Amino acid sequence: MLEDDDFTAKRLLSLIPEDAFRQLKELDTLAQEHLFPNLGAPFHLGPTFDGSILCPADADVISNGLLLDFKAAVKGNALSREDLYQLLGYTLFDRSDGYGINRIGIYSARFAALISWELKSTLELLAGEPVNLAEEREKVWGLLGGSDTLQTTAARIVGEEDDDDYSARGEDDDSGYGPDSYYVRAMGKDD
């Protein structure tokens, strides 16, 4: 496709099997009915966290304090421990509480099931005692090797104006994985 100068959206869409389009339409219809009415602003798509500068991690979406992970696999409607741990890990990576996460949840797209839990009560249930989330976030930050200097440096780097539009070129969208990502730049600075 690249050699033939035929790398277009229309060409790429022509490669998708008809059944895949049908499934996407069905998933969209289910989401319109069962997911979207339960979401509210502000939205953060693909959010990264303070701890992401030390251990790359990005979630699916945060909607009005709800940290939400999407699952589309056809493996049944069972929730695994790993799914819950993933959400709790993201929550602990949000050292500054910048997203105001107060609920965690999973949307099972194929089953149109949105399940969410209040964060505070979930943490207390799992720990068997009250949990000071700010203290636990600091512990995780320390375990990851974080410091206040690194946090300040990363915030400064991420906050810098960047006139280059990487996403338009498809090179680096500051998702944390490209050569110019803030992770790479932050880790290159002395602590």
Side-chain angles (χ1 to χ4, degrees):
M1 283 191 305
L2 290 174
E3 294 84 22
D4 298 334
D5 202 27
D6 193 22
F7 194 71
T8 64
K10 184 177 181 179
R11 174 72 173 122
L12 290 174
L13 289 171
S14 73
L15 299 174
I16 300 172
E18 191 61 38
D19 189 54
F21 273 124
R22 180 192 57 75
Q23 289 181 43
L24 283 174
K25 287 178 187 175
E26 289 174 4
L27 291 173
D28 179 59
T29 300
L30 291 171
Q32 293 286 341
E33 183 178 337
H34 299 281
L35 174 64
F36 299 152
N38 296 296
L39 301 180
F43 291 96
H44 303 279
L45 302 176
T48 57
F49 308 94
D50 305 308
S52 298
I53 63 173
L54 300 168
C55 179
D58 62 305
D60 291 337
V61 67
I62 299 174
S63 167
N64 194 26
L66 170 63
L67 170 61
L68 190 58
D69 194 46
F70 296 106
K71 302 295 182 189
V74 187
K75 63 179 180 180
N77 59 357
L79 174 67
S80 73
R81 261 188 240 154
E82 289 77 15
D83 294 334
L84 185 56
Y85 293 161
Q86 178 183 8
L87 291 167
L88 294 174
Y90 292 151
T91 301
L92 291 169
F93 273 29
D94 189 22
R95 178 184 186 217
S96 63
D97 195 22
Y99 295 108
I101 299 168
N102 55 32
R103 293 174 296 138
I104 56 174
I106 293 178
Y107 177 68
S108 178
R110 296 197 182 273
F111 297 94
L114 174 61
I115 302 115
S116 66
W117 305 271
E118 293 298 320
L119 179 60
K120 183 177 190 252
S121 59
T122 301
L123 289 170
E124 291 178 0
L125 178 67
L126 293 171
E129 62 186 13
V131 173
N132 182 321
L133 186 54
E135 285 180 11
E136 297 306 318
R137 285 174 166 156
E138 286 302 316
K139 287 179 188 176
V140 169
W141 180 252
L143 289 170
L144 291 172
S147 69
D148 288 337
T149 304
L150 179 60
Q151 179 79 31
T152 303
T153 302
R156 183 183 51 76
I157 291 170
V158 172
E160 288 178 356
E161 289 299 319
D162 190 353
D163 294 334
D164 202 352
D165 183 9
Y166 296 106
S167 61
R169 292 198 322 257
E171 290 179 23
D172 188 345
D173 62 356
D174 277 336
S175 64
Y177 299 104
D180 295 316
S181 69
Y182 65 86
Y183 304 122
V184 173
R185 291 183 280 171
M187 295 309 288
K189 304 287 182 188
D190 288 329
D191 226 5

